[in-house]
Amino acid sequence: MKIKSQLFLIVKSLLLLLTFSFSLSSSAADNKAVRLVVAAPHIVEMLYAIGAGDSIIGTTEHSDYPQAATKIPRIGNYAGLQVERILQLKPDYIVAWKTGNPEVDLNRLEKLGMTVVYSNPTDLKSVADELIMLGELTGQKSKANQIATAYMDKLNRLKQKYKTHQPISVFYQLWTAPLTTVANNAWPQQLLAICQVDNPFIALKGDYPQLSIEHVMMAKPKLIIIPTSTGEPNQIKGYWQQFNAIPAVKNKQIITVNSDKLHRMTPRALDELEVMCEKIDNARAVYF
């Protein structure tokens, strides 16, 4: 009986050892780094935010945050992707922007056997959803959930802080030539809404309508916001000084915001949103 008992213990120990070894092997396979070609700057930024930046083996122009992203090989831009170059890189996945990359190139890559995963953030909450999706794709679930939760907490804090503030009329000068603003469900318009502003052009056709100086003069905004950055230079404040009939010009209420932060659908947008809301509050103090 004693011998049988010893044999049983030996067999049991071997089975446990084999199970443990299999578990380690499976874990190593599950955590194998994926190789990603990423076709938009906001996706690159989110991957770095969740600790998966090293997975990126190719990306598009203007992917410049964080600094490490500037060293990633380029495989095209918003106007076109270098299909042959992407095939040479042999990525596990291509992560593309549903509405920001050329459909013809993505369709060609799929026909050639590439797996395309689409990023399609449409509102402020969907940024958190995207983070979680990318976390699952790269094996960074825990970090992605942490960043997504922090993002939603900050978004809700900003909503709560400004929800009772008196609205102020704002013209958001998205671009100068042609003069372009934001409306409807445009990403910057969603951010402006958090700060409690009245956009006189919100109901125009399309999310990014073009208009004339006369339209702005008739609207008489109390504040003009000009998004600008090194990557997206925009007309400076002096452009408006000749139009003193506009309250924003007359009262020197023309501000700038960092478009590199604000216009990318990433957690960093909330940092600049907070700055913008504070500047809008300063303008309120002039009028109310």
Side-chain angles (χ1 to χ4, degrees):
M1 290 294 293
K2 185 176 181 181
I3 293 174
K4 288 183 178 180
S5 178
Q6 288 176 338
L7 285 172
F8 174 77
L9 290 173
I10 291 170
V11 172
K12 183 177 180 181
S13 297
L14 287 171
L15 287 172
L16 286 172
L17 181 61
L18 286 170
T19 301
F20 181 67
S21 298
F22 178 77
S23 176
L24 285 177
S25 175
S26 298
S27 177
D30 290 342
N31 291 326
K32 181 183 177 182
V34 294
R35 292 164 53 84
L36 305 177
V37 162
V38 180
H42 78 275
I43 309 172
V44 170
E45 189 171 324
M46 284 198 284
L47 284 166
Y48 272 99
I50 64 171
D54 290 343
S55 298
I56 308 171
I57 58 173
T59 190
T60 51
E61 294 173 15
H62 306 299
S63 296
D64 55 7
Y65 188 87
Q67 180 63 31
T70 61
K71 299 178 182 179
I72 301 171
R74 307 292 148 160
I75 48 79
N77 54 37
Y78 70 92
L81 301 176
Q82 298 169 13
V83 174
E84 289 75 16
R85 174 65 175 140
I86 294 172
L87 293 173
Q88 289 172 358
L89 290 172
K90 297 180 179 178
D92 296 308
Y93 303 101
I94 298 165
V95 189
W97 187 6
K98 188 72 173 178
T99 57
N101 291 130
E103 186 177 359
V104 62
D105 291 340
L106 296 173
N107 288 341
R108 183 182 172 197
L109 285 163
E110 287 184 317
K111 288 179 180 178
L112 290 169
M114 294 286 99
T115 301
V116 181
V117 177
Y118 287 99
S119 166
N120 189 33
T122 55
D123 55 31
L124 294 169
K125 180 187 177 300
S126 63
V127 171
D129 299 332
E130 294 268 318
L131 288 163
I132 293 169
M133 178 272 288
L134 292 171
E136 292 175 348
L137 183 69
T138 59
Q140 297 287 346
K141 291 183 182 180
S142 178
K143 181 67 172 179
N145 286 333
Q146 178 186 342
I147 299 299
T149 298
Y151 169 86
M152 288 304 301
D153 287 346
K154 185 165 186 175
L155 176 59
N156 289 330
R157 284 198 305 272
L158 288 172
K159 286 181 177 180
Q160 187 67 25
K161 180 177 179 179
Y162 290 99
K163 70 177 184 178
T164 59
H165 287 215
Q166 185 172 348
I168 181 172
S169 176
V170 169
F171 168 59
Y172 193 87
Q173 180 187 309
L174 182 70
W175 197 245
T176 306
L179 190 61
T180 306
T181 190
V182 297
N184 296 294
N185 199 45
W187 172 260
Q189 173 56 40
Q190 294 183 45
L191 296 169
L192 287 168
I194 301 294
C195 304
Q196 298 300 322
V197 305
D198 280 334
N199 177 0
F201 306 111
I202 192 170
L204 291 183
K205 185 177 180 180
D207 286 349
Y208 302 98
Q210 297 176 10
L211 35 71
S212 66
I213 293 294
E214 288 72 23
H215 286 116
V216 182
M217 294 183 69
M218 290 173 61
K220 297 185 180 302
K222 289 181 167 63
L223 174 65
I224 294 174
I225 300 177
I226 305 176
T228 186
S229 67
T230 303
E232 286 185 317
N234 205 343
Q235 183 63 53
I236 59 173
K237 297 179 183 180
Y239 175 82
W240 292 99
Q241 298 311 314
Q242 58 187 307
F243 305 108
N244 204 49
I246 300 173
V249 177
K250 181 180 179 181
N251 292 286
K252 297 181 173 55
Q253 295 305 306
I254 303 175
I255 64 172
T256 59
V257 291
N258 187 321
S259 58
D260 278 349
K261 293 182 180 181
L262 202 65
H263 289 173
R264 288 185 187 174
M265 292 159 281
T266 72
R268 201 164 56 116
L270 297 188
D271 296 339
E272 193 63 16
L273 171 61
E274 189 168 23
V275 172
M276 182 171 71
C277 286
E278 289 174 357
K279 289 183 176 182
I280 292 172
D281 253 4
N282 292 336
R284 281 191 183 92
V286 173
Y287 296 101
F288 309 132

